[in-house]
Amino acid sequence: AEAKKLTVDEALGSRKNHDAKELALNRRLLTDISRQQVRPLAVASVDAAQCYDSIAHLPGSLACQRLGAPPLFMSCMLLCIQLMKFHLRTAYGDSATFFSSQPGTIPMQGICQGNGGGPSFFYALSVVLVILLHHKGHGAKYRSALSHELTVVAGLLFVDDTDLLSNSTSPDTAPAEVVAALQASVKTWQDGLRVTGGALKPEKCSWGLLAYWFKDGCKQIHTPRSFHASISLSNVDGSQIPIRRVPASEGITVVGVVQALNGKMKPQVDALTEKAEKWATNIRNGWMNRRLAWTGLKTMIWPSLAYPLHACSISYNQGDAIVTKLYQALLPELGCQKRFPRLWRYAPTMYQGL
């Protein structure tokens, strides 16, 4: 499907050589461009409710067949799900009666948690929804400074984590126009998701805005008080439900990385510091042998702290402050001197580093 260009670049989940960290990095780069060009950017983080369990079989099957899945294979997998029988297992044995789809009613839908084909099934649907956004003209538009090639980014997707985008291509575009374009994009995404059997959870959705004004020639970022705007979702009865607006200075967690639209690292530093200090507290209150301490450092502690660093610009002093208490508790457990030089802690083992 990728060789025939049937996929989209925005959807990163369930694809080889792609991971969630790319979404965080792309999001960071797009906000950097907005601040450099001083042009508004609006981002809506919309989360699908029970994405695997709410997929309707008909649109899902058509989306998979569009990417080359054989119809016979789709029928085999989906009929098994529709005709499943659920027995209740107790200490006295399995129930004689069972729950299943009833004749004359819509059979059970969804792709089931734990299904090996589930991620690819949902990815096929996501591709169609992104194509719908492109067809409607939604997304952030960027023109290359060298080739003048226009790139349209409809959103950033990793499985059910979706960020929809809208930006200004001209310095004369008002922030209200960018917000209105984002509202249209959110409505299109919600309507498309509803057709496939899915829905958005308003309490898990949020949006943010990078819009600028100048004071004494210095760039300032609008706050919800200085520029009022809202984004809403459609309820089943047609009413509108506003979703939470996140100030540009406040960080939100996107695929495990805490990011603020204004580019400040304080929210991410605070999150990493809290995580490191929690590790330190558990180490002090517990006990583990030296071998286990080394295994934990290499396979759990350090990978969990290093995961978001690719999308961060943390200073040396900030990085040192994050792990100060952690190493005070961890170094003795590793069999190292408590004041082991900082320069050597991160050096390769061939140079006597950790």
Side-chain angles (χ1 to χ4, degrees), residues 20-32 35 41 43 45 156 163 165 206 208 210 244 246-271 307-313:
K21 294 186 291 186
E22 290 183 49
L23 187 149
L25 179 59
N26 291 339
R27 194 176 191 271
R28 172 67 189 276
L29 294 176
L30 293 179
T31 57
D32 286 348
R35 294 192 302 273
L41 171 70
V43 183
S45 298
L156 304 172
D163 283 353
L165 307 169
S206 63
L210 273 177
R244 183 172 71 99
V246 180
S249 59
E250 182 180 328
I252 64 171
T253 303
V254 180
V255 292
V257 181
V258 181
Q259 292 184 324
L261 293 181
N262 64 0
K264 302 298 183 182
M265 288 292 104
K266 187 178 184 305
Q268 179 64 81
V269 170
D270 292 344
Y307 171 78
L309 296 183
H310 67 287
C312 299
S313 54

Side-chain angles (χ1 to χ4, degrees), residues 6-24:
L6 298 176
T7 61
V8 292
D9 295 331
E10 288 92 339
L12 300 174
S14 308
R15 294 173 60 188
K16 291 183 178 180
N17 304 318
H18 293 280
D19 56 28
K21 294 186 291 186
E22 290 183 49
L23 187 149

Side-chain angles (χ1 to χ4, degrees), residues 206-219:
S206 63
W207 76 285
L209 175 67
L210 273 177
Y212 310 93
W213 62 284
F214 290 88
K215 180 180 180 181
D216 298 329
C218 296
K219 178 181 66 175

